[in-house]
Amino acid sequence: VPGELARRLDSVERGDDGCAEGYHGPKCELCNEPDQYFKQADAKCHACASAWRTLGWAVLGVMVVLLLVALAFLLAQRNHWLEQGAFVRGVTKTRSTWRLVGMQ
């Protein structure tokens, strides 16, 4: 495994557990720094994202979902899909088309 070999050093350079500096564990896949995580794709330790950054992405995701729901509602309202009976007719039409093409 190339990543594992890169983390291990020969006996002259290795530390107490045979891992390169910054790594430890049975396969040298644990990072010594508490604010880092090991990524198997490139076999290196990477800094953890801050909580504020993670929270920012979560808030952005929620905002995008709310925007899409609002747009769908406005589209449905504009096309009169929300009028009494229109939604049921749409579902019935979709269901009969679904059966027409052989689905159950």
Side-chain angles (χ1 to χ4, degrees):
V1 178
E4 185 175 344
L5 296 176
R7 291 186 310 278
R8 294 186 179 268
L9 301 172
D10 62 273
S11 60
V12 175
E13 298 178 56
R14 71 180 175 194
D16 294 336
D17 60 1
C19 298
E21 186 178 334
Y23 301 93
H24 70 279
K27 290 184 165 185
C28 301
E29 291 183 347
L30 300 174
C31 303
N32 288 342
E33 298 298 322
D35 61 341
Q36 291 185 339
Y37 68 96
F38 183 80
K39 186 175 180 181
Q40 287 187 334
D42 62 358
K44 293 182 182 177
C45 289
H46 296 274
C48 296
S50 71
W52 289 110
R53 183 176 169 188
T54 304
L55 180 64
W57 282 111
V59 168
L60 179 65
V62 168
M63 288 174 58
V64 167
V65 168
L66 290 175
L67 179 66
L68 291 174
V69 168
L71 289 174
F73 179 76
L74 289 174
L75 181 65
Q77 202 173 28
R78 183 176 181 195
N79 291 324
H80 307 288
W81 295 341
L82 300 177
E83 291 178 0
Q84 189 175 10
F87 180 75
V88 174
R89 283 193 307 271
V91 169
T92 305
K93 188 174 183 178
T94 303
R95 188 173 177 199
S96 49
T97 303
W98 187 260
R99 286 187 177 165
L100 182 66
V101 296
M103 302 296 178
Q104 292 187 6

